[in-house]
Amino acid sequence: MPRDSALRTAALVRLNTALLLRESGPLVSRLVLPLILLTLMRPLYQAAQGGAAGTEQAVVGILVMFSLLGMSLVGSAVLQERVWRTWDRLRTTPARPVELLAGKGLPVLVALLLQQALVLGYGAGLLGLDVRAPALLGVACLAWTVALLAMGAALGAAARSFGELSAAYDIGGMLLSALGGALVPLAELPRWVGAVAPLSPGYWGFGALRGAVRGDAGAVFAASGALLGFAAVAGVAAAWAIGRGRARSDRL
């Protein structure tokens, strides 16, 4: 990375980290709520699927659901620039779209990885989740988080208001979680759900994380590849939306 680009990106990362920590309510809720729900729901999953299988479904499924809801962190960070009327100003700076996205996304990357570490650590340390391949779990978490960041940035770049963004990630997060088998195993759902499940990033996120817990390298790398595909498409869409906005600003 050229030095000027690195300096611009670092400055944006520092600024957006400060903004994320100053308005920390959404971040705290994304960290605390999955632990509460996991504690309450684990006995239900254990009763339905058995001890170890129920714990695995509860930990991985709830993590997938709340990490999808965590897309709101990066989406809100992008959209709030419009609310503050600073978005057009950022577009006309020397910073490229990819630098703007990195500046917004890297602080959230750390937040999402922290969320995953807390949920998985809680599951392994206190609930008896048997993680057979910690290294593979790191690969799965990173691929899943990159996909979340790209999708969240695309939503933030496309949404016209916080209400629209909230509806997108609330409804979308729950829908993608359900279609991915995170809330209820796909075997227990209607057949058509299983047929469309691979269209959901939640399906691949759940598959990658569950594969790592079970020590299945093939499942982890296949699902991680699919997640990076989702990330590439969403990242291009987000960069295009920001670049188009810059072009419009230049013509004004």
Side-chain angles (χ1 to χ4, degrees):
M1 178 184 291
R3 185 172 183 272
D4 289 346
S5 179
L7 290 174
R8 288 193 297 265
T9 302
L12 288 166
V13 168
R14 289 195 298 271
L15 171 63
N16 287 289
T17 299
L19 293 174
L20 180 64
L21 294 177
R22 188 175 70 178
E23 299 292 339
S24 59
L27 173 60
V28 172
S29 71
R30 295 297 182 258
L31 296 177
V32 175
L33 284 178
L35 302 181
I36 296 173
L37 188 61
L38 176 55
T39 302
L40 296 175
M41 297 296 292
R42 177 179 170 244
L44 178 62
Y45 282 104
Q46 285 185 312
Q49 299 185 42
T55 297
E56 177 188 284
Q57 177 74 37
V59 174
V60 177
I62 288 173
L63 175 56
V64 166
M65 179 178 69
F66 274 93
S67 52
L68 279 166
L69 295 175
M71 288 191 300
S72 63
L73 296 175
V74 66
S76 297
V78 172
L79 183 57
Q80 71 186 359
E81 299 291 351
R82 300 182 195 173
V83 175
W84 294 341
R85 301 188 178 183
T86 54
W87 191 233
D88 288 338
R89 198 179 311 165
L90 282 174
R91 287 167 172 161
T92 57
T93 66
R96 300 183 181 92
V98 67
E99 294 166 1
L100 294 174
L101 290 175
K104 291 292 183 186
L106 287 175
V108 183
L109 171 70
V110 175
L112 291 174
L113 289 175
L114 176 60
Q115 178 196 59
Q116 293 175 42
L118 283 174
V119 174
L120 292 168
Y122 182 72
L126 297 178
L127 303 182
L129 178 69
D130 181 17
V131 179
R132 300 181 184 178
L136 286 176
L137 190 58
V139 172
C141 287
L142 187 58
W144 178 227
T145 302
V146 169
L148 292 169
L149 284 175
M151 292 186 294
L155 284 174
R160 293 170 295 182
S161 67
F162 279 109
E164 187 175 285
L165 179 64
S166 178
Y169 65 69
D170 281 347
I171 297 172
M174 295 298 294
L175 179 62
L176 294 178
S177 298
L179 289 178
L183 303 182
V184 179
L186 290 177
E188 305 298 328
L189 295 173
R191 285 186 180 180
W192 68 266
V193 177
V196 302
L199 299 176
S200 167
Y203 172 85
W204 299 105
F206 184 81
L209 294 167
R210 184 178 60 181
V213 168
R214 295 178 176 181
D216 186 344
V220 171
F221 288 117
S224 295
L227 289 172
L228 293 179
F230 279 105
V233 172
V236 168
W240 175 80
I242 293 174
R244 186 179 67 165
R246 178 197 291 268
R248 285 179 175 176
S249 296
D250 289 344
R251 290 197 296 267
L252 294 177

